[in-house]
Amino acid sequence: MTIQLSVLDQSPLLKNETPNQALQQTIQLAKHVDQLGYKRFWMSEHHSTKSLAGSAPEMLIPTIAAQTDQIKVGTGGVLLPHYSPFKVAEQFRVLEALYPNRIDLGIGRAPGGMPGVNYALNRGKYPDVKNYPQQASLLMDYILGNDPEGYQVQATPMSETTPPIWMLGSSGASAHVAGELGTSYTFAQFINGDGGPAAIERYYHNFIPSPLQQEPEASIAVFVVVGDTEEEAEYLASSLDVALLMADQGQIREYFPEPEEASRQTFSHFEQQRIIENRNRMIVGSVESVKQQLEYMSRQFQVNEVIVNTIVSPFEKRLDAYEKLAQAFQLK
């Protein structure tokens, strides 16, 4: 099985850097992986999160697409419960008209930030996430040019091509919805380190062909840390270990710690156990080891595409990791 590699970028803020620099690094990374032969470049949506600059991925898409040549560009993903399906369809209809066959519409159900975000994005009301399957169905209809709610409207412009819909999820429930609607599906291993193979199997089992696609298409997204040696990889991964632990504990972080700082921290027994559990969300090692682990994961999950999310410091190590993987997998 030939494995295709893609990228999920969250525009992380590193120590002593600004949000402006984080967004510029996202653009630089996109240009870099486009030249290396990666298939997709997705950007995430996080709100009121100081350590991640990517709060509006649909705003970054035109800039990324304009400065790259062939890589598909998309969202990973638009948090649909906050928005009107009709408006999202219009946004991606415009993007598709500008960059035909290069746009991916990735959607998700999670709130994407602290609880107050839900109220701030919904005029003081909490979004009804139970209606997510219905919202996704409406979005599909609108993106296809239909009028599912009978308002005598059409999402324009109706160009010759239609962007595919990818549903991102971290549970079997989202996989079930994606299958029944007939969209593509990505399991977010970087969010939930358990249950991925079963979720993908559930997606395949429940897939019903749709006007968007006749065959199921699935992938997985996972944190990846690559070093020149196993020791360097562990050193670099310590930053992500600490950042994920802080998130689990509800601590507000303004940046991702440098490995020099993170590797010197001491932890309680319970914190050490949590760090070990979080490693299920990550692939860490030398490039040879990481390649083997990704190949095994691909077989385990029954997918031929892996979306890599690398957050390491300094930024040059992030660029280097994607280059090492491209060479190892002979992407070009």
Side-chain angles (χ1 to χ4, degrees):
M1 178 189 297
T2 301
I3 299 177
Q4 298 173 314
L5 295 184
S6 295
V7 177
L8 172 66
D9 193 66
Q10 298 177 291
S11 303
L13 265 73
L14 306 181
K15 188 174 182 180
N16 298 323
E17 293 187 352
T18 66
N20 307 58
Q21 289 174 295
L23 293 174
Q24 288 301 317
Q25 287 170 356
T26 290
I27 296 170
Q28 186 178 343
L29 178 61
K31 293 162 68 174
H32 185 60
V33 298
D34 181 41
Q35 295 297 314
L36 291 173
Y38 283 78
K39 185 175 183 179
R40 310 177 199 278
F41 189 88
W42 286 357
M43 292 153 287
S44 63
E45 178 178 333
H46 290 84
H47 299 286
S48 191
T49 306
K50 293 182 178 181
S51 60
L52 299 171
S55 59
E58 72 279 4
M59 298 295 291
L60 284 168
I61 287 177
T63 298
I64 299 295
Q67 297 194 42
T68 52
D69 297 320
Q70 58 190 13
I71 197 168
K72 287 181 173 289
V73 186
T75 49
V78 171
L79 304 179
L80 193 58
H82 295 312
Y83 309 115
S84 154
F86 179 70
K87 181 58 178 175
V88 175
E90 284 190 321
Q91 289 173 332
F92 280 80
R93 270 284 164 205
V94 170
L95 292 168
E96 181 68 19
L98 290 170
Y99 303 99
N101 293 317
R102 288 192 59 205
I103 302 300
D104 287 333
L105 170 47
I107 60 174
R109 181 173 55 183
M114 300 300 287
V117 164
N118 293 285
Y119 297 103
L121 285 171
N122 293 276
R123 300 181 181 180
K125 298 179 181 179
Y126 199 89
D128 186 0
V129 296
K130 293 181 181 179
N131 281 336
Y132 176 67
Q134 181 184 5
Q135 281 188 297
S137 179
L138 290 172
L139 175 61
M140 177 184 286
D141 268 325
Y142 280 128
I143 206 76
L144 289 167
N146 300 326
D147 183 19
E149 297 176 285
Y151 295 140
Q152 299 183 0
V153 296
Q154 185 179 61
T156 55
M158 286 300 299
S159 54
E160 295 178 355
T161 58
T162 299
I165 294 178
W166 284 81
M167 190 168 290
L168 283 77
S170 56
S171 70
S174 58
H176 187 98
V177 173
E180 288 196 333
L181 290 179
T183 71
S184 298
Y185 179 70
T186 297
F187 183 79
Q189 182 80 7
F190 72 101
I191 293 175
N192 179 13
D194 298 311
I200 296 286
E201 179 61 34
R202 187 171 178 181
Y203 165 70
Y204 286 143
H205 178 75
N206 287 281
F207 183 82
I208 299 172
S210 71
L212 278 178
Q213 61 191 78
Q214 293 299 300
E215 300 292 335
E217 186 175 9
S219 63
I220 52 174
V222 62
F223 284 123
V224 176
V225 178
V226 180
D228 290 329
T229 62
E230 295 290 329
E231 292 74 20
E232 186 192 35
E234 287 293 330
Y235 174 71
L236 294 172
S238 65
S239 298
L240 194 53
D241 286 334
V242 171
L244 295 180
L245 180 63
M246 291 176 67
D248 291 340
Q249 295 173 336
Q251 297 185 51
I252 304 299
R253 65 174 190 268
E254 299 199 1
Y255 58 84
F256 283 80
E258 295 177 323
E260 293 87 347
E261 171 189 351
S263 61
R264 291 197 299 265
Q265 289 202 28
T266 57
F267 306 99
S268 70
H269 172 74
F270 295 104
E271 288 173 333
Q272 289 173 342
Q273 288 301 115
R274 188 58 187 167
I275 288 172
I276 291 172
E277 291 173 8
N278 279 336
R279 281 299 182 97
N280 291 330
R281 301 156 63 183
M282 304 161 60
I283 299 292
V284 179
S286 66
V287 67
E288 296 83 5
S289 171
V290 167
K291 182 175 186 291
Q292 291 176 0
Q293 292 179 71
L294 291 179
E295 289 171 338
Y296 173 77
M297 181 175 281
S298 171
R299 294 191 298 270
Q300 183 186 25
F301 282 71
Q302 303 179 70
V303 299
N304 64 2
E305 181 178 356
V306 178
I307 303 176
V308 175
N309 182 359
T310 294
I311 300 178
V312 293
S313 180
F315 174 62
E316 290 72 24
K317 287 290 183 180
R318 193 150 123 235
L319 296 174
D320 186 56
Y322 285 108
E323 187 163 355
K324 281 184 168 66
L325 286 175
Q327 293 170 352
F329 282 89
Q330 300 179 337
L331 296 187
K332 295 193 69 172

